[in-house]
Amino acid sequence: MRTASTQQEIDGVQQRIKSHGLSPHLSPGTERTIIGVLGQIFPELKDELERLPGVAEVVRISKPYKLSTREFREEDTTIAVGSVVIGGIKPVIMAGPCAIEDENQLMATAKVVKEEGAEILRAGAFKPRTSPYSFRGLGVQGLKLLAKASKTFDLPVVTEVMSSEDVGMVSSYADILQVGTRNAHNFNLLDAVGKVDKPVLLKRGFSSSYEEWLLAAEYILSGGNSQVILCERGIRTFEQYTRFTVDLAAVPVIKKLSHLPIIVDPSHSTGSWDLVTPISLAAIAAGSHGIIVDVHPNPTVAKCDGAQALTFENFRTLSTQIRSIAEALKAIPTEPGKSG
Ligand code: PEP
Ligand code: MN
């Protein structure tokens, strides 16, 4: 819409869109209002809408995803979870054990990660394990412990939801709902988390292209939930040395294609604790809005993913180094043409 367009003109455009059985999606920005059109778009629509009063320009977005694109929303989306802002200048550290094992393990980890600068506690109660014989999590009992840790240490929590039937229940404990890599194509689950008023951390499917990943986000956004955080967690390639191959180019590419925040999981991508620090630092240097990292009081006895968990001491070092990188980044120009 034109900068000076009136409310009546904005309403008029929305009505015309609806008259064709399509859905308007309003995005009021600081500069101008953008109206997205969702549905089966016919070619003549562009000309028709361009003739309406108040319309500045009609842009056909050829990409199959719309709501997540920069064309749809120019400014970065920021997501507030309590007083924590995800998607802003300050990188956010989400840390905690891969799985909730017992109260002591969770509380001890939550205490340390909080003291060392983590702003979100991560921990799984429902674990999607490759083998059905592996530890699959404490379920609801784990969520109750998570709520206790959250309250005790004043830390919002992110935890995985594995099925659409569980979305309501997990939402009553979680501040951020996590959709795991194995569920990145579970369209019923994506639809279900699209209908709740909670931010969603959407892991990249381990064989998803950027387009498939953003289309998964589109399910959530088009359901009415605009709070999506993307998470690069490694993809499957021919390389077998690391657990998955972490694709750090995803950070600047996604930031170019989309307004959504993006973070990196250095733990599930590499699978080795000694690779977690270098990959985390590289992720932040590449512009990641944060990291989600596994930390355990005693990784050697962890019931899940111990090989990739950081000890408290290693987490402390990582956290300090992240602060230095974040500090240094302030000097890097983000707008083209300003680098001289
Ligand atoms: C996790 O973060 O606990 C997890 C299982 O991650 P992913 O879905 O990326 O494997
Ligand atoms: Mn894990």
Side-chain angles (χ1 to χ4, degrees), residues 272-288:
S272 309
W273 69 270
D274 57 329
L275 302 177
V276 166
T277 295
I279 293 303
S280 299
L281 299 177
I284 301 298
S288 178

Side-chain angles (χ1 to χ4, degrees), residues 122 127 160 178 180-182 203 233 265 268:
R122 68 139 290 145
K127 298 303 304 174
E160 179 157 357
Q178 180 172 325
T181 192
R182 293 158 189 84
K203 294 272 191 118
R233 53 78 64 210
D265 182 336
H268 290 83

Side-chain angles (χ1 to χ4, degrees), residues 13 56 73 160 166 238 244 247 271 315 338:
V13 172
R73 191 184 148 91
E160 179 157 357
D166 288 345
F238 55 83
F244 290 88
D247 175 16
F315 177 69
K338 290 208 178 157

Side-chain angles (χ1 to χ4, degrees), residues 183-257:
N183 269 320
H185 298 290
N186 180 342
F187 302 114
N188 290 336
L189 178 61
L190 297 173
D191 273 339
V193 295
K195 293 193 187 79
V196 294
D197 186 21
K198 280 276 155 98
V200 177
L201 179 73
L202 176 64
K203 294 272 191 118
R204 179 182 186 178
F206 58 70
S207 59
S208 294
S209 63
Y210 298 146
E211 186 168 303
E212 288 163 333
W213 186 13
L214 290 172
L215 280 167
E218 199 77 10
Y219 269 84
I220 305 169
L221 298 169
S222 64
N225 186 348
S226 58
Q227 305 183 84
V228 177
I229 304 153
L230 300 168
C231 178
E232 162 62 37
R233 53 78 64 210
I235 51 173
R236 186 115 317 141
T237 66
F238 55 83
E239 181 53 65
Q240 297 299 301
Y241 184 86
T242 48
R243 187 176 178 188
F244 290 88
T245 298
V246 58
D247 175 16
L248 287 183
V251 173
V253 173
I254 291 291
K255 284 173 88 174
K256 190 156 69 174
L257 297 177

Side-chain angles (χ1 to χ4, degrees), residues 5-294:
S5 62
T6 64
Q7 190 57 47
Q8 201 182 356
E9 288 167 344
I10 293 170
D11 293 345
V13 172
Q14 293 193 90
Q15 271 155 25
R16 181 65 69 93
I17 292 166
K18 282 186 196 155
S19 75
H20 290 298
L22 302 164
S23 315
H25 195 287
L26 201 66
S27 174
T30 45
E31 295 272 299
R32 58 182 175 161
T33 293
I34 296 175
I35 304 173
V37 187
L38 288 175
Q40 283 296 317
I41 292 164
F42 51 94
E44 293 81 359
L45 185 67
K46 181 173 170 1
D47 283 350
E48 184 182 323
L49 292 181
E50 233 148 33
R51 289 195 297 268
L52 294 180
V55 173
E57 181 183 17
V58 179
V59 181
R60 232 203 118 93
I61 299 171
S62 53
K63 296 186 187 82
Y65 45 93
K66 292 190 174 67
L67 301 175
S68 59
T69 59
R70 282 276 176 205
E71 286 88 344
F72 183 70
R73 191 184 148 91
E74 235 176 283
E75 305 112 76
D76 287 352
T77 284
T78 53
I79 293 172
V81 184
S83 59
V84 184
V85 177
I86 302 157
I89 297 171
K90 185 182 172 210
V92 172
I93 303 178
M94 307 185 186
C98 179
I100 302 152
E101 296 172 15
D102 56 59
E103 184 165 344
N104 288 342
Q105 171 245 20
L106 183 64
M107 296 303 256
T109 312
K111 180 172 187 289
V112 169
V113 299
K114 168 83 183 194
E115 281 166 7
E116 298 306 325
E119 293 184 279
I120 307 273
L121 176 65
R122 68 139 290 145
F126 294 92
K127 298 303 304 174
R129 303 307 299 275
T130 301
S131 162
Y133 308 120
S134 300
F135 174 63
R136 291 161 73 177
L138 296 181
V140 184
Q141 193 206 334
L143 293 178
K144 294 201 165 113
L145 294 175
L146 195 56
K148 185 170 177 191
S150 172
K151 197 157 170 245
T152 310
F153 300 104
D154 187 26
L155 270 176
V157 293
V158 55
T159 196
E160 179 157 357
V161 57
M162 279 173 50
S163 80
S164 46
E165 298 85 64
D166 288 345
V167 169
M169 185 267 294
V170 178
S171 296
S172 64
Y173 294 96
D175 298 290
I176 305 175
L177 295 168
Q178 180 172 325
V179 173
T181 192
R182 293 158 189 84
N183 269 320
H185 298 290
N186 180 342
F187 302 114
N188 290 336
L189 178 61
L190 297 173
D191 273 339
V193 295
K195 293 193 187 79
V196 294
D197 186 21
K198 280 276 155 98
V200 177
L201 179 73
L202 176 64
K203 294 272 191 118
R204 179 182 186 178
F206 58 70
S207 59
S208 294
S209 63
Y210 298 146
E211 186 168 303
E212 288 163 333
W213 186 13
L214 290 172
L215 280 167
E218 199 77 10
Y219 269 84
I220 305 169
L221 298 169
S222 64
N225 186 348
S226 58
Q227 305 183 84
V228 177
I229 304 153
L230 300 168
C231 178
E232 162 62 37
R233 53 78 64 210
I235 51 173
R236 186 115 317 141
T237 66
F238 55 83
E239 181 53 65
Q240 297 299 301
Y241 184 86
T242 48
R243 187 176 178 188
F244 290 88
T245 298
V246 58
D247 175 16
L248 287 183
V251 173
V253 173
I254 291 291
K255 284 173 88 174
K256 190 156 69 174
L257 297 177
S258 175
H259 53 85
L260 296 172
I262 176 165
I263 67 164
V264 171
D265 182 336
S267 309
H268 290 83
S269 53
T270 63
S272 309
W273 69 270
D274 57 329
L275 302 177
V276 166
T277 295
I279 293 303
S280 299
L281 299 177
I284 301 298
S288 178
H289 293 114
I291 54 160
I292 179 165
V293 59
D294 284 9

